[in-house]
């Protein structure tokens, strides 16, 4: 006899974590992927960083004060959080849990320390590392984006050395040479059934 409960609930879908050094192209890849497949749900993080020109509240991030971020931590509302290059970033817990329970594939685009926390709390999540074709190309992309000061770029490059050294902690590496190609591979991983 089939279990009636398992019939009435959608299957739990996979949580995918995409990580990689600043400037490698994570946001570019994710934006492309969502245009291609709007069914994948991307978590909107909270951050204490100031919005860049063109960024909108609730779209790229929820922009919060230090006090608001403290409160979210105290109330246990973050699935993970980390300090990165002078600011704090975190994933709101409830929306992620709700989407997964509803059978929607969820994508988190977060840095290394957060990825490690998710690995601990959700061991069956899939962790994908986005790598640059070379160090020189990473520097070119980060500098070419033109959104950060020289000091912030240096901080992010310091963090990038640490992130690149942690590549082997991830389940799979995708090299971001061509956005379209990376997107196709990432989409296949996100929508693959859980093993
Ligand atoms: P991240 O989100 O990882 O910090 P971005 O998505 O902001 O990185 O990309 C950094 C810069 O690199 C942007 O100017 C973007 O247009 C560029 N970029 C992203 N992917 C590629 C690629 N495959 N080839 C060339 N440039 C890229
Ligand atoms: P940026 O300031 O360039 O938008 O993001 C800086 C870094 O923070 C990137 O590596 C990005 O992936 C990461 N990040 C964004 N949101 C979160 C989050 O919710 N948690 C963690 N741990 N990192 C995040």
């Amino acid at each position: 006899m089939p279990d009636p409960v398992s019939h009435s609930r959608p299957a739990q879908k996979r949580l995918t974590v995409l990580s990689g050094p600043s400037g490698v192209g994570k946001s570019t890849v994710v934006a492309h992927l969502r245009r291609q497949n709007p069914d994948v749900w991307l978590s909107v993080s909270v951050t204490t960083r100031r919005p860049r020109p063109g960024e909108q509240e609730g779209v790229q991030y929820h922009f919060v004060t230090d006090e608001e971020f403290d409160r979210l931590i105290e109330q246990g509302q973050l699935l993970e959080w980390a300090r990165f290059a002078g600011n704090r970033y975190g994933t709101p817990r409830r929306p992620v849990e709700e989407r997964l329970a509803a059978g929607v594939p969820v994508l988190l685009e977060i840095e290394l320390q957060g990825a490690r926390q998710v690995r601990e709390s959700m061991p069956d999540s899939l962790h994908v590392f986005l790598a640059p074709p070379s160090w020189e190309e990473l520097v070119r992309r980060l500098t070419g984006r033109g959104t950060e000061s020289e000091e912030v770029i240096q901080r992010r490059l310091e963090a990038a050395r640490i992130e690149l050294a942690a590549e082997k902690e991830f389940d799979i590496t995708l090299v971001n040479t061509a956005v379209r190609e990376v997107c196709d591979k990432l989409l296949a991983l996100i929508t693959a059934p859980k093993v």
Side-chain angles (χ1 to χ4, degrees):
M1 276 276 285
D3 170 8
V5 176
S6 67
H7 274 264
S8 59
R9 277 196 206 143
Q12 271 258 341
K13 277 285 183 340
R14 167 170 273 163
L15 175 69
T16 306
V17 172
L18 180 69
S19 223
S22 184
V24 71
K26 299 182 296 297
S27 310
T28 307
V29 166
V30 166
H32 189 89
L33 182 134
R34 295 193 71 222
R35 277 195 299 274
Q36 236 182 324
N37 192 333
D39 294 345
V40 175
W41 185 76
L42 174 70
S43 164
V44 179
S45 299
V46 287
T47 183
T48 58
R49 161 164 90 58
R50 296 245 177 286
R52 293 180 185 136
E55 285 185 333
Q56 286 173 286
E57 164 58 32
V59 180
Q60 290 81 9
Y61 285 105
H62 298 289
F63 296 97
V64 298
T65 61
D66 262 317
E67 293 70 29
E68 284 167 329
F69 203 98
D70 286 340
R71 205 173 58 237
L72 292 170
I73 297 172
E74 275 162 28
Q75 294 174 346
Q77 290 194 40
L78 300 180
L79 183 63
E80 59 73 35
W81 70 272
R83 288 179 200 282
F84 182 87
N87 293 296
R88 288 187 292 175
Y89 299 80
T91 303
R93 179 192 300 278
R94 173 108 61 88
V96 169
E97 291 178 348
E98 283 174 357
R99 294 315 186 290
L100 288 174
V104 176
V106 169
L107 179 61
L108 306 185
E109 191 245 281
I110 62 177
E111 54 66 71
L112 177 64
Q113 305 159 71
R116 286 174 174 158
Q117 293 167 46
V118 175
R119 170 78 83 198
E120 283 284 309
S121 61
M122 300 173 110
D124 60 354
S125 47
L126 178 76
H127 291 241
V128 180
F129 188 79
L130 194 62
S134 66
W135 175 258
E136 291 70 29
E137 177 61 14
L138 179 69
V139 175
R140 222 178 349 259
R141 286 184 192 174
L142 189 54
T143 314
R145 189 168 68 188
T147 49
E148 273 85 22
S149 66
E150 186 52 37
E151 189 208 331
V152 173
I153 288 174
Q154 286 314 319
R155 275 205 220 176
R156 284 173 179 247
L157 287 175
E158 273 168 39
R161 290 197 185 279
I162 297 168
E163 302 231 344
L164 288 169
E167 179 189 336
K168 56 189 174 307
E169 292 178 31
F170 287 76
D171 299 311
I172 186 161
T173 294
L174 300 178
V175 179
N176 182 18
T177 305
V179 173
R180 186 178 295 251
E181 210 174 287
V182 169
C183 270
D184 289 347
K185 289 182 183 161
L186 184 58
L187 193 57
L189 290 168
I190 290 173
T191 52
K194 275 205 288 194
V195 181

